[in-house]
Amino acid sequence: MDDMTKVAPDVVEESGTGTGRTAAGREEREGRTARTGRGGIPEWATRRRVLFCAEILVSLAAALGYTLLCGRIDVNPMIRVAQVSGLAKMQQYAALLGIPILALLLYTAHRGSLMRHQLVKRLVCAALAGLSTGVVAGGVVVALNGTPWALGGQEGDPSVLIDMGTSFLRGEGVSGIYPPAFPALIAVWAKLRHGGTLGSGMALQDLQIFFTAIAGPMAYAAWRLLLRPFWALLIAVPSAVLFIDPIRPYSHGTMIVLLPLLGYWLREMRRAEHRTTRRNLVSGILLGLVFGALFLWYSGWYVWAAPGVGLLALFLFPWRGGARKVKATLVYIGATVATAAVVGAPLLYQMVRLGADNPDRYAFLSVYADPAYVLGWVSDRSGGLTYRTWPVSGEMAGQTGFTLLLLFGAGLGIGLGLRNIMVRTAAAVLAGAWLARFWFASHMVQAKAVQLYPRTTWIIMYCLMILAVLGLMVAVDRGSGWLERTVRPRSADGDGDGAPRGPVLPRCAVQQLSAGMVCVLALFATMGASWSVNRYMPDKDEKSMGVDAWRAHTLKKPNGTCPRFAPVKDCADVKIQNWKPTADRGYLWCGGLDPEEWPAVCGRRAPKD
């Protein structure tokens, strides 16, 4: 099990060494191996840090390169058949880029040396992680073709972000209790690239596309701290494609990265006694910087993750491990917490000062639906769905086949892999978020506040996905070990004739099967990314997710003219204004409802406005 959670595979000798080779030949081979590494690969290219950095670079290059390539797709995104043509062209690009690298993976699995295949597999998995969200970002490029403005135009949450960026440009600093890092980045990019306050909306478009594209690489890099390439890809791709929201990619990107980092931190906490005090301080400070930056980037996921992770950390703390172990662990924890608190101090101060005056009173479809449903998400633009028709009832006590399969996988993870630190982390976060969800939901009527509890849907579903993948990983690991012990047990001296016994499952068969599964996962990534992109194609219907792209095409460009494919003759003027806190109405605001539905759903009449 521990072997499957290493960042890089162990160096493995190639099989097939003969017994009649001369000493001179052996010395010559050893000298060549020292210069070129095993499998004909240069020695420097087998170092873990080099390989890890190479994976990140390949993944980012795939994501950003594909996104730039989609800028060549010139269709009118306001016409549905043109949208379909754009989606098809994107799939063509993905195939032209993906098929050759998958072919290389399959070739090395069947013909190449083990070391060469392992290297290719690393880089292919990294590239696929980048392509998965590169396709989503490329879809945003197609949807916004002809307009310089961001998804959302100057309505809804994008307008709030633009106003916050404008406030930063005018020197007003942190905006309430909202995480300030992304609005501040809007301000910086608007000043550097788009000429100041007028360019905040254009800066937001650039950042929406960029951070959507790199969501896959960042998720993959975070999981590679704990898992081998295939298993890291198996979590990173589905989660990034499913959860990423191009309108606010920084939000879900934080959640996807935060959980594996928490697992990594807990794992390193248990190893603190084996490091020097200086190394514990450096490791803690570096992780503290990351946690603090993520807190400023988007703080909401800390609320849901903190209860479970806090209790788990207390459970894992070496209370009876002796003074040396306790001291080393405290140094590591103290360095992390202190650094994170210093970095996150601006937002922490605002939360303490203004938190009680900023209740969340906005309700929408997910608030009206069954609170125990956590395997699907509907935004405040839910189309024709209502709480009477969503979620769709499944075959088994309302649960679908996907739900039962996911729960079965999570059961494998908890049952077989509880010693794995990431299994414990995901289970603890799930339990804490589950209790917090129902605490806030059960007090909603009395407090007249939602307190963002529907967002626990994402983190709970993410934890279930993590547990299911880790459960599958542990089952494969234990199953192969069981076969080795029972079907063809090894002996210290091999067979009676002196011949050593080989593995039950030939290594070549395992790597060929793994390569085939990577190909299937690549196909899922392109299909899932296309599904995600299709939702954001321009649509005039205000209850659809496509309305955000439609609004971006109805704003005047900086020169006063309409965008190239504007669906209206008279485009709206661009508003430049500072962010102002919304007045607290003191009651639930029930969005997505007709006025006559308010009494039955919200228990009061709809306000006149």
Side-chain angles (χ1 to χ4, degrees):
M1 179 61 176
D2 292 337
D3 183 59
M4 298 190 73
T5 60
K6 293 178 182 177
V7 172
D10 291 330
V11 176
V12 182
E13 293 281 355
E14 292 186 72
S15 60
T17 56
T19 58
R21 294 175 179 173
T22 63
R26 188 181 305 112
E27 291 177 359
E28 181 182 355
R29 289 191 303 274
E30 289 175 354
R32 185 168 60 250
T33 299
R35 293 190 301 272
T36 64
R38 297 177 177 86
I41 300 173
E43 186 178 6
W44 62 267
T46 63
R47 297 175 183 173
R48 292 186 178 184
R49 291 183 181 179
V50 173
L51 291 172
F52 187 65
C53 291
E55 289 180 72
I56 295 176
L57 291 175
V58 167
S59 192
L60 288 173
L64 298 176
Y66 181 89
T67 303
L68 291 173
L69 185 62
C70 287
R72 298 173 58 87
I73 302 175
D74 189 14
V75 296
N76 182 349
M78 312 308 295
I79 301 173
R80 180 55 189 171
V81 292
Q83 296 174 8
V84 173
S85 293
L87 291 170
K89 194 66 176 180
M90 290 169 55
Q91 291 299 311
Q92 181 184 352
Y93 285 161
L96 291 175
L97 294 174
I99 290 176
I101 64 175
L102 292 176
L104 177 62
L105 176 68
L106 291 171
Y107 176 81
T108 58
H110 287 78
R111 297 292 183 182
S113 66
L114 177 60
M115 287 297 297
R116 193 182 303 276
H117 172 70
Q118 289 175 339
L119 176 59
V120 170
K121 184 178 177 180
R122 281 171 172 265
L123 300 181
V124 168
C125 287
L128 291 178
L131 281 175
S132 65
T133 48
V135 174
V136 181
V140 177
V141 172
V142 174
L144 297 178
N145 183 33
T147 178
W149 306 114
L151 288 172
Q154 52 186 10
E155 303 289 337
D157 289 347
S159 72
V160 175
L161 293 171
I162 292 171
D163 292 348
M164 288 181 175
T166 301
S167 295
F168 271 101
L169 283 169
R170 293 176 173 175
E172 293 194 1
V174 179
S175 304
I177 62 171
Y178 197 83
F182 191 76
L185 185 59
I186 292 175
V188 172
W189 190 243
K191 186 173 182 179
L192 294 176
R193 181 71 175 81
H194 296 288
T197 55
L198 181 61
S200 294
M202 293 182 284
L204 180 57
Q205 184 195 98
D206 295 342
L207 298 179
Q208 285 176 339
I209 294 170
F210 177 78
F211 286 106
T212 296
I214 69 170
M218 293 299 98
Y220 178 77
W223 281 109
R224 284 291 284 120
L225 295 172
L226 296 165
L227 304 175
R228 287 193 169 190
F230 173 75
W231 301 109
L233 187 70
L234 192 56
I235 297 179
V237 166
S239 59
V241 171
L242 178 61
F243 295 124
I244 201 65
D245 181 3
I247 298 175
R248 295 171 298 273
Y250 58 93
S251 168
H252 296 78
T254 300
M255 179 193 74
I256 295 170
V257 170
L258 178 62
L259 262 66
L261 287 179
L262 288 172
Y264 178 79
W265 179 78
L266 289 169
R267 189 189 73 177
E268 295 303 302
M269 183 189 81
R270 300 184 69 188
R271 299 176 176 178
E273 67 168 323
H274 302 298
R275 298 189 296 266
T276 63
T277 300
R278 179 179 178 180
R279 190 172 177 185
N280 278 325
L281 282 172
V282 172
S283 299
I285 289 172
L286 289 176
L287 281 169
L289 290 172
V290 174
F291 286 132
L294 288 176
F295 182 74
L296 295 179
W297 199 242
Y298 194 80
S299 58
W301 307 116
Y302 285 83
V303 176
W304 315 119
V309 171
L311 288 176
L312 180 60
L314 292 175
F315 176 78
L316 296 176
F317 189 86
W319 300 102
R320 299 181 180 179
R324 181 178 179 278
K325 191 171 184 178
V326 170
K327 179 182 177 181
T329 306
L330 285 176
V331 168
Y332 178 75
I333 294 175
T336 304
V337 174
T339 305
V342 170
V343 175
L347 183 56
L348 288 171
Y349 171 74
Q350 291 290 87
M351 287 181 169
V352 172
R353 187 170 69 92
L354 302 172
D357 299 327
N358 287 268
D360 170 42
R361 304 191 190 277
Y362 182 67
F364 54 101
L365 179 56
S366 291
V367 177
Y368 317 139
D370 178 11
Y373 181 71
V374 293
L375 292 177
W377 172 261
V378 173
S379 70
D380 53 354
R381 299 191 180 98
S382 53
L385 296 175
T386 70
Y387 67 92
R388 299 181 183 89
T389 60
W390 185 84
V392 177
S393 181
E395 305 85 357
M396 182 68 176
Q399 308 308 308
T400 64
F402 167 73
T403 302
L404 298 177
L405 186 62
L406 190 65
L407 293 177
F408 175 75
L412 286 178
I414 295 174
L416 299 178
L418 199 56
R419 292 185 178 181
N420 185 300
I421 191 63
M422 196 59 228
V423 170
R424 296 185 183 186
T425 304
V429 171
L430 189 155
W434 187 268
L435 291 173
R437 175 185 182 88
F438 291 107
W439 167 265
F440 288 117
S442 63
H443 289 77
M444 184 166 51
V445 173
Q446 296 87 345
K448 295 182 176 60
V450 177
Q451 298 305 93
L452 300 177
Y453 89 80
R455 299 193 180 205
T456 56
T457 299
W458 288 313
I459 200 167
I460 290 172
M461 187 176 182
Y462 188 33
C463 289
L464 289 173
M465 292 169 61
I466 293 169
L467 291 172
V469 172
L470 295 181
L472 178 62
M473 184 184 77
V474 176
V476 170
D477 182 42
R478 291 201 177 186
S480 61
W482 179 82
L483 285 174
E484 293 289 346
R485 292 190 301 270
T486 59
V487 177
R488 190 183 295 174
R490 294 174 179 269
S491 63
D493 299 326
D495 290 331
D497 59 1
R501 294 181 180 274
V504 174
L505 296 176
R507 195 180 300 276
C508 62
V510 173
Q511 66 188 34
Q512 290 165 12
L513 176 60
S514 176
M517 297 306 297
V518 170
C519 293
V520 172
L521 188 56
L523 183 60
F524 165 80
T526 57
M527 295 167 64
S530 186
W531 162 82
S532 179
V533 166
N534 185 51
R535 299 176 299 162
Y536 295 97
M537 288 298 167
D539 191 335
K540 188 178 181 180
D541 184 4
E542 292 191 358
K543 291 186 177 181
S544 74
M545 298 179 72
V547 72
D548 289 304
W550 189 87
R551 287 171 174 169
H553 287 274
T554 62
L555 290 177
K556 290 181 180 178
K557 295 193 294 185
N559 61 9
T561 62
C562 285
R564 179 183 172 190
F565 302 112
V568 296
K569 292 183 179 180
D570 297 322
C571 296
D573 293 323
V574 178
K575 301 175 184 177
I576 302 176
Q577 57 189 17
N578 292 347
W579 175 83
K580 294 181 180 180
T582 304
D584 183 14
R585 297 172 180 261
Y587 57 83
L588 286 177
W589 178 267
C590 294
L593 295 176
D594 294 328
E596 58 269 17
E597 292 185 288
W598 274 61
V601 179
C602 262
R604 66 182 307 278
R605 292 182 178 180
K608 295 181 180 180
D609 56 352

